Every structure is written in structure tokens, then in C-alpha cells.
Amino acid sequence: MRSWTDTLRFAFQPVVNLATGGVAGLEILARPEAGDILAEARRDPELDGSLAVLAIRAAASKETLLPLHVNVFAGTLADLGGLPPLHDTVRQAGRLPWEVTIDVGPPYTHVPQPALLEAVGAVRAQGFRISADGIGDGDVPLRLLTDLAPDLVKLDASLLARPAAVRAMRTLCEELGALLSVEGVETELQFAAAVTAGAQLAQGDLFAPPTRLPAADVYVPPRSPGAVAVPRSGPSVREFVRPAALLPATASAGQVRALLTGAPEVSGVLLVDPHGVPVRSVHRSRFLLSMSGRYGHALYADRPAAKLGDPPRTVGVDATAWEVLDVVAVGAPDRTSDDVAVVDRYGRCVGVVRLADLVRALAESRVEEAARLNPLTRLPGSDVITSEVDRRIADGRAFALSWLDVDHFKQVNDGAGFAAGDELIRSVGQALQQAATGSTRVGHIGGDDFLVLADPERLDPLAATVLDVPWSAGGRPVTLSLATVLCPPGSVADHRQAAAALAPLKKAAKALHGASWVLGQAGLPGHEIVRGTGAPAPAGCAVAEPGLR
């Protein structure tokens, strides 16, 4: 009698790193020739656990070195209290548990959450990584998602049509220390949306469909310039992690040589202890040069490969690209091409980064950053400020958005000359930059107009910096006008609404004499005149009582 396993096959779909364009892992998908075995597995935890074991064995038969993703229903983990057979199978296949990510998928309804969390803790203790799958199209409670503290969150591509939700999930991932992936990407438009939203990984038919043989080559569309805003501290090392070639610390030089000659794309091998902590780093070229020399094979083949390795260079998963460069800069100059091991909070290797990837990304970010700077003040334009406004809205943070400009600037230019006008603009920009401490952001959006994004408590010292100073151009006294809109959480939906709330406040400030400051709150009528005299508020905009702040 034929078993259900006789008609079961597995397919492999690449998980793509959107920064490097390389394959970061393979998701193993069950493909029965008949029947709906996944529906049965949803109801039968033992069957679902068996599918996970068979998936690992299928990957082992293909001899892939890439990290693996195995699907398991949330109910299976809760009912079985973990997956001991999976751990044994991974070891028997010659793989390490931290090379395997368990994609925990819906449904979550009626799954006892304490049992699920306990089971997730058990498999995590064995070394497996945890992915929360089907987010955005499933029924996972947000509180449970944070309690799971996954290493990876997989969003359904349908959520890309709601960019604010994707940005909010990216922020949550940063808080949880998780990577963000989008699955089901089928079009270049979806790819662009995923990149813009800050996803680090993706999978879907656009890159490569599921196939019976693991695919190493994938299609990745070219990224449009400036698609992602680079953090001020530099891009995160998480964006550039490549799969690591791992062998036990006891591996022989012959075993390392066999791995390298069979996988020409591997640039080096990390030797790890039983817990997955890197202990030695074997560089491809230096190792093969030693082995190919006269008597090299006879001398080293059966000896520990660690003898031909170096101390590993490591960085944490929360490091920036600049911090990786600092690590590379220390030590022997002949090791600048060595891979840098990326380790988690337990010191276990999660992958490697290559210097070439980092240098290219940092160079591109500098070019993009320079293109966004105003040539007169070297300050960014409105795009940087509005993107940060949207991030703070997604985070549920209160903020103050201000518009500053020079009163009667055209007359200043006509009377004092454009050179004096340019010098005044540079001086105002420098003053704002020097006052921009902490999370304050300053942008020069053209002419004499500046945008300032700050926390509400930073408003008074910031205003004093520019309004308490006597400004002049070509010996002519000049005054500035400042308009600010306070935006508590939930008061605006995006940067467009914040800008719309700011516009009438700017008009009110310009109607006043002398250095002026008008303050309002999004969603509330009226405004407060903090500074400025000699003119009433415009019709239809009543002056609020003092104490609006």
C-alpha cells in the first residue's frame, strides 16, 4: 500500500536579501501530487510535525548550504510542546539548528497562547530561529506578536497597498530586533513598495518561483535612487547579512577543502563551537593557497582546519555598516577581504557580511545624501523631513513641525544684494543646525524657507536661537517669522495633513510685525501669538488664550 509520503514532493523558494540581491535562505514548501495535505496538517499536529522533518530531509538530499525556512502551524507547536524530532533530524542532516528558521503560521484562533509561547521558548533554546508568518493576512494578535519576539516577521504582499501599516511594522521590528520580510511579491511595483517601506527581505514569483531544485540565481529589479532613507548613523548590518558557510570547530582541513571546492560562491568558512559561536575564520584564498602548495595536502588534509584559520571578526546584529568598517580597519591589512561574522545576542553566528557590499552601499548613500542637500546651506530638503514626520506618526509620537523664513526677503535681496542674502540664509541655517540637538531635524526647502521637526519640549530653546538674535543683511536689520503646529498622536494621518495644518499658521505669523512666532495645534481652531505685535490674527482664525501649549 502506498503511503501519503509517496506522493509528496517539496519545492524551494528563495528568500532574497533586498540590499545585496543575494539569496538569504530557502523556504521549503510541501507539494503533494494529490489531496490537500496542508489542510489535514492544520488539524493534525503530528502530521504537521512530520512534514517539517521531511522538509529538512528533502533539503539535505539537495546538498544546499543555504539557511532553511520550515513551515509549522502555531497550533502544532502549542500541542506538541516543541519539535524534538526536528532538532534530531537537523543534526542528522549535518546542519546546525541556527541555520533553520521555523515559520510559525496561522491560524492562531483557539491556540492557547501560554502553551505556544512555552513551545517557542523551547525550540529557540535548541537554537532554532523563529519567524512570525502570514502577518497582515492572518489572525495573529498584536500582543502575541510582541510576546513571540520573532527573529523575522513575514508580511503578506497585500499589505503593501497600505504603506503606513508596513512602516509601522518596520518600526515594531526594530523595537523587537527582528527583520522584516514581504512574501508573495509578484510585480516590480510591489518590489519598489517593499524597498521604500524598509523591508530587508522578500520572496515571491518576481524573484524566483518555487522549484524542485534550490535556485541560487534570482531576478532582482534595479532599485531606484533614494528609494530608502539611510539612517543618520548609517545602514544597519542586518541589511547586508549573507548566509555563512559553517562547519564544526573540529572539522579537518580536508572537510573545509571539500566544501570550498564544491561551492565556488563561498568566500570563507566559519568554524563554530557546539553552541554556534565562531571560533576560527578560514579565508578561501589563503586556505586553498596553503593546501595547494608543495606537500600542502599531505601536511594539512587530516589536521584540524583551525590550524589554517584566524580569529574571527565579529559584530552584533544591531551594528551599523560604519561599525563594521571599524572592525575591518583593526588588524592585519591582508585580512581586509575577510568576511565579518554577524552574531546574535547569544554570540551565535547568523551570517556574514562582505566588505564590498558595505562599501558600495555607503558610497551610494553618500551620493544620494549629497543629491538631497541644498547647495547653499548643505541642509537636506523637504523629503527628509516629511519622511521623518511619517515615521513619527507611525510610531505614535508627538512632534512639532515648524516653518521659518525671513520677512520681506525679496526686499532684502533687492536692497542688500543677493550675496548678502545668501550669507544671511547660510547664517540662519548654521544657527538652526547648531540648535538641532537630539532628534531635531532641520531642512532647507529653498529660498529663505526652512522646516524644523522637533520634540515639543525642544521648541522654546530652538525658537530663542533664531528669534533672540539680531539678524542683518548688508547692514540692514532683518526679522524672522516662525510658525509651529503641535501634532499629538492621532491628530494627523500623514505629513500632508501636518503641512496643511501649518500653512495658515505661517500666514498668521507673516501678518505680525517684528520677529514673530505663532503656535497652533493640529485639529484645533485658533492659534497662540507667542511673539510679534501690531496686527490682529487673520479673519476666521481666532487667537487662542495663552496656555495652548
Side-chain angles (χ1 to χ4, degrees):
M1 179 180 291
R2 298 183 70 192
S3 167
W4 60 268
T5 58
D6 294 335
T7 60
L8 181 65
R9 301 291 182 268
F10 289 93
F12 303 87
Q13 184 168 48
V15 179
V16 177
N17 184 314
L18 295 180
T20 66
V23 179
L26 293 171
E27 181 173 353
I28 314 172
L29 303 167
R31 290 290 187 265
E33 294 181 3
D36 190 351
I37 196 170
L38 294 181
E40 296 179 35
R42 188 180 295 114
R43 298 186 295 267
D44 185 348
E46 294 290 347
L47 174 58
D48 193 32
S50 298
L51 287 176
V53 167
L54 291 173
I56 294 297
R57 290 176 180 167
S61 69
K62 307 301 181 185
E63 298 183 348
T64 176
L65 296 175
L66 290 166
L68 304 173
H69 289 248
V70 180
N71 292 287
V72 175
F73 291 111
T76 297
L77 281 178
D79 286 350
L80 300 183
L83 298 168
L86 183 64
H87 182 269
D88 296 339
T89 302
V90 168
R91 289 291 189 178
Q92 292 166 7
R95 301 300 295 263
L96 301 170
W98 39 92
E99 296 179 276
V100 177
T101 298
I102 298 177
D103 288 358
V104 184
Y108 290 86
T109 304
H110 307 307
V111 175
Q113 295 187 13
L116 175 60
L117 293 174
E118 183 178 349
V120 166
V123 295
R124 182 173 272 138
Q126 293 173 342
F128 292 107
R129 305 192 186 283
I130 300 298
S131 166
D133 201 358
I135 305 302
D137 195 39
D139 60 345
V140 57
L142 187 58
R143 183 176 65 182
L144 176 60
L145 180 61
T146 59
D147 290 342
L148 285 173
D151 303 282
L152 175 66
V153 171
K154 286 190 173 183
L155 293 184
D156 187 85
S158 62
L159 208 60
L160 292 173
R162 299 167 176 82
V166 181
R167 288 194 297 268
M169 190 56 63
R170 168 62 191 264
T171 300
L172 177 60
C173 286
E174 290 174 352
E175 292 292 327
L176 297 176
L179 293 176
L180 180 64
S181 180
V182 179
E183 54 185 353
V185 176
E186 298 179 350
T187 67
E188 296 197 9
L189 188 61
Q190 289 180 322
F191 164 79
V195 171
T196 302
Q200 293 108 339
L201 304 171
Q203 62 189 100
D205 288 353
L206 174 68
F207 310 106
T211 56
R212 292 291 174 86
L213 293 176
D217 296 324
V218 293
Y219 167 71
V220 180
R223 293 165 57 139
S224 59
V228 177
V230 179
R232 290 163 69 95
S233 57
S236 168
V237 72
R238 293 171 179 268
E239 299 178 24
F240 307 97
V241 174
R242 293 176 176 265
L246 304 177
L247 284 176
T250 55
S252 68
Q255 290 175 294
V256 172
R257 183 176 183 274
L259 189 157
L260 292 176
T261 54
E265 75 280 1
V266 173
S267 55
V269 176
L270 287 173
L271 305 179
V272 297
D273 69 11
H275 302 291
V277 177
V279 293
R280 301 293 281 180
S281 173
V282 179
H283 184 267
R284 180 186 189 91
S285 298
R286 293 197 299 273
F287 174 84
L288 292 179
L289 186 63
S290 298
M291 290 291 288
S292 62
R294 192 176 185 184
Y295 309 122
H297 189 272
L299 285 172
Y300 298 116
D302 297 323
R303 298 183 64 185
K307 297 286 186 182
L308 296 175
D310 299 289
R313 290 174 165 174
T314 62
V315 295
V317 292
D318 296 322
T320 67
W322 292 110
E323 291 170 324
V324 178
L325 293 185
D326 290 339
V327 171
V328 173
V330 176
D334 62 340
R335 294 194 61 192
T336 54
S337 62
D338 287 17
D339 293 341
V340 177
V342 181
V343 297
D344 62 15
R345 61 181 180 272
Y346 303 109
R348 302 179 306 204
C349 180
V350 301
V352 295
V353 291
R354 295 179 180 175
L355 182 62
D357 290 337
L358 300 181
V359 171
R360 181 175 61 253
L362 291 172
E364 289 174 353
S365 72
R366 284 294 177 258
V367 171
E368 292 174 6
E369 183 180 343
R372 293 194 296 264
L373 297 181
N374 186 287
L376 183 61
T377 59
R378 308 303 295 167
L379 288 172
S382 60
D383 287 349
V384 172
I385 305 299
T386 54
S387 296
E388 180 64 21
V389 166
D390 286 337
R391 275 192 288 272
R392 297 195 188 191
I393 292 171
D395 293 346
R397 294 171 56 188
F399 63 89
L401 184 63
S402 299
W403 191 313
L404 176 79
D405 69 354
V406 178
D407 294 330
H408 312 296
F409 183 64
K410 184 179 186 306
Q411 297 177 22
V412 173
N413 257 352
D414 292 343
F418 72 87
D422 285 352
E423 183 57 38
L424 173 63
I425 296 302
R426 275 193 291 266
S427 299
V428 172
Q430 289 170 0
L432 288 171
Q433 264 187 309
Q434 292 169 2
T437 58
S439 60
T440 301
R441 301 287 183 267
V442 178
H444 182 191
I445 60 176
D448 62 322
D449 293 318
F450 294 87
L451 273 180
V452 182
L453 176 63
D455 296 328
E457 59 270 18
R458 287 291 308 156
L459 283 177
D460 286 333
L462 187 68
T465 298
V466 289
L467 298 182
D468 288 348
V469 175
W471 297 98
S472 64
R476 299 166 178 263
V478 172
T479 58
L480 307 182
S481 292
L482 179 66
T484 300
V485 59
L486 297 174
C487 297
S491 60
V492 290
D494 56 25
H495 70 269
R496 295 175 183 84
Q497 288 190 9
L502 182 59
L505 301 178
K506 178 192 176 186
K507 185 177 180 180
K510 297 298 288 182
L512 299 174
H513 294 313
S516 61
W517 182 16
V518 165
L519 180 68
Q521 181 169 314
L524 295 181
H527 59 259
E528 177 185 356
I529 298 176
V530 185
R531 299 194 186 199
T533 58
C541 190
V543 178
E545 293 295 327
L548 178 64
R549 288 177 290 167

